[in-house]
Amino acid sequence: MASGNPVRIRVKRKTFPAIGGRDENTVLRDVSFEVSPREFVVLTGPSGCGKSTLLNIVAGLDTDYEGDIDLGAAHPRMTFIFQTPRLLPWRTIRENLMLSLPDGDPRQNNVDAIIDRVGLTEAKNAYPERTSLGMQRRAALARGFIQEPDILLMDEPFVSLDDPTAQGLRELLVDLWNSRPTTVMFVTHDRTEAVMLGTRILRLAAGSASIKADESVRLSPSDRTQRDKVQAELKRIFESTPET
Amino acid sequence: MLPARKLSPAGATAERLLWTLASLTTLVALWSLAAMISDSRHLPGPMKVLEVLGQESASGALWSNMSITLVRVACAFFLAMLIGTMIGIAIGSYKRADQFFDSWLVLFLNLPALVIIALSYVWLGTTELTAIMAVAINKIPNVAVQMREGARQLSRDLSEMAKLYNFGPWKTLRHVTLPQLAPFAAAAARSGLALVWKIVLVVEALGGHATGVGHQIHAAFGNYDVPTILAYALAFIVVIQIVEFGILQPLQARVMRWRR
Ligand SMILES: Nc1ncnc2c1ncn2[C@@H]1O[C@H](COP(=O)(O)OP(=O)(O)OP(=O)(O)O)[C@@H](O)[C@H]1O
Ligand SMILES: [Mg+2]
C-alpha cells in the first residue's frame, strides 16, 4: 500500500432488517474513525455491540449500510481473519492455504513454512473437521498471514487456544506486523491482549454502538513484555471510562 | 454393563454379509415351499425360474433386452440428473424463483407416472426419445427438490471466504459450491436410479416398443408366463444392485470422505 493514506471509516448507520418477529435492529450509529498506516487498532466492546458487523463492512463483505469506507489505496491487499475458522472441510489444511492464493503465486512457496510456524506440521494433510478447533483456528491464522496483507482485520483470533499457543501466535503476529507495513484492526475481549498488542484502543458502547473511548497505548515494545507496565496501562485506559 | 463388542471393519462387513445371506436363503426357502404347496403354473419355484433364466440367457434374448433397457435407464437417468440439478440450483439460489416455481414443483411431484407416460406418447408419439423423456420427466421434480435443498443450505460463511480470497467463479464452483452440493447429488442419484429403472419398464410396456425388459415382461404377461416375468425381474434386480454397490455407493463414500 502506498504508505501515507489512512483508512477512513465512516458508518452513519447500519441496520439489520426485521425478520421472524425481531424488530429492526440498528447495530452501528455514527461510528467514524481513521486508522493511520501501520497502526494496530484494537476494537473492544460488549458482546453483540457490532464489532464483527463493523469488520464485515470494512472488509467489503457487507455493503448494506449508510456511510463510506476509504481504504487509502485503490486495491490494498486485505485479509480478514474471521471469528470462526471458515476452512473448506473437504480440502486438507494445506490445500486450504494453497487455495487462498492464486495458482502459481510466489507466496505459495511459504505455505509449508507458515504451517510449521503455527505448529500444524503434523496436521497439514488432515481434513479440518478431523482436527481440533484450536488447530482449525491456527490454520485460519496461517491462511491470513500468508497473504502478506496491507490491511489485516482480525476478529477474536486467539480465543479457545491455550496460553502458550496464543502467546506464540501473538508473537508471530507482531513479527509479521514489524516485517511489513501492515495496518491492523483487531477485535478482542481480552484487555491484557489489547494493551499488549495495540497501539490504540477503540471501545464501542453497547446498543447502537458508537465510539465510547479512543486511547493511544503508551508502551514501548519492551514495556509490552513487562506485566506490571501492561497492567498499569490497562488500568489507565479501561478505568478512566468505566464499562456501562 | 456389557462390554462393547468391538469389530474390525472387515469383521463388521463379514457379519453383515452373513446376515444378508441368511435372510436371502430364508426367502428362497419360503418361496420354494409356497411353490411346492400351491403346485401351480402361476407360482413357479426358484429352480424353474433359474431354468428359464438359463434359456433366455443362452438364446441371447436376456442380454439384448437387458442392454437396451439399461441404455434407456442410463439416458433417462443422466438427463433427469442434469435438468433436475440445474432447475434445483436455480430455484434454490433465488428466493423469487423459488416462490414462483414451488407450486409447479408440487404439481409435477404429485403427477402420477402413468399420466406423464400416457400424455408423452399422445403428444410426442411412440419414439425412442419419447420413452426416455417420459422417464426423465418423472424423475426431474425429485432431483430438483433435493438439489434445491442443497442450494438453500449453501454456506454464506464459505462464500464470503471465497470472495475475500478472490476465488473467482471457476474456483468457487469447483472448491466451494460443488462439494457442498455433492452429498445432495449423491442422494438424488441413488433414489433416482431406483425410481428410473422401475418407470422405464412401465414405459417400455406401454409404448409398444419391440425391445427391452419391459416389453418382454409385458409379452410374458399376455401369456400368463410367470417364470419369464420372474426371470427378467430377478436379472434386473441383480444388475441394478451391482450398479448401486459397485458405482453409486463408492461414489457417495468418496464425496463424503472428509467427514468426521
Ligand atoms: N445477519 C444478521 N441479521 C440480523 N442481525 C444480526 C446479524 N448479524 C448480527 N446481527 C446482530 O447485530 C448485533 C451485533 O452483532 P455482532 O456479531 O457484530 O456483535 P459482536 O460485537 O461481534 O459480538 P461478539 O463479541 O459476541 O462477537 C447483534 O445484536 C446481532 O444480533
Ligand atoms: Mg463478533
Side-chain angles (χ1 to χ4, degrees), chain A residues 86 90 99 129-130, chain B residues 160 171 175 257 259-260:
Chain A
R86 303 202 194 181
W90 37 84
L99 283 170
E129 290 191 355
R130 302 211 180 128
Chain B
E160 283 181 355
K171 211 161 141 182
H175 298 287
R257 73 191 182 287
R259 293 243 165 123
R260 280 196 299 137

Side-chain angles (χ1 to χ4, degrees), chain A residues 56 60-61 79-80 82 84 86-91 99-102 127 129-130 143-144 147, chain B residues 156-161 163-165 167 171 174-177 179-180 255-260:
Chain A
N56 268 309
L61 297 174
T79 292
F80 187 174
F82 302 102
T84 49
R86 303 202 194 181
L87 301 165
L88 298 171
W90 37 84
R91 296 287 180 266
L99 283 170
S100 73
L101 295 162
Y127 290 108
E129 290 191 355
R130 302 211 180 128
R143 183 179 60 187
Q147 309 298 319
Chain B
R156 247 185 85 170
D157 278 10
L158 290 182
S159 57
E160 283 181 355
M161 187 279 293
K163 187 176 168 207
L164 186 79
Y165 290 111
F167 271 35
K171 211 161 141 182
R174 171 152 175 231
H175 298 287
V176 184
T177 312
Q180 291 181 78
V255 300
M256 311 275 235
R257 73 191 182 287
W258 50 272
R259 293 243 165 123
R260 280 196 299 137

Side-chain angles (χ1 to χ4, degrees), chain A residues 48 51-53 83 155-156 187 189:
Chain A
K51 304 179 296 295
S52 299
T53 306
Q83 195 162 3
D155 198 348
E156 303 187 43
V187 170
H189 288 285

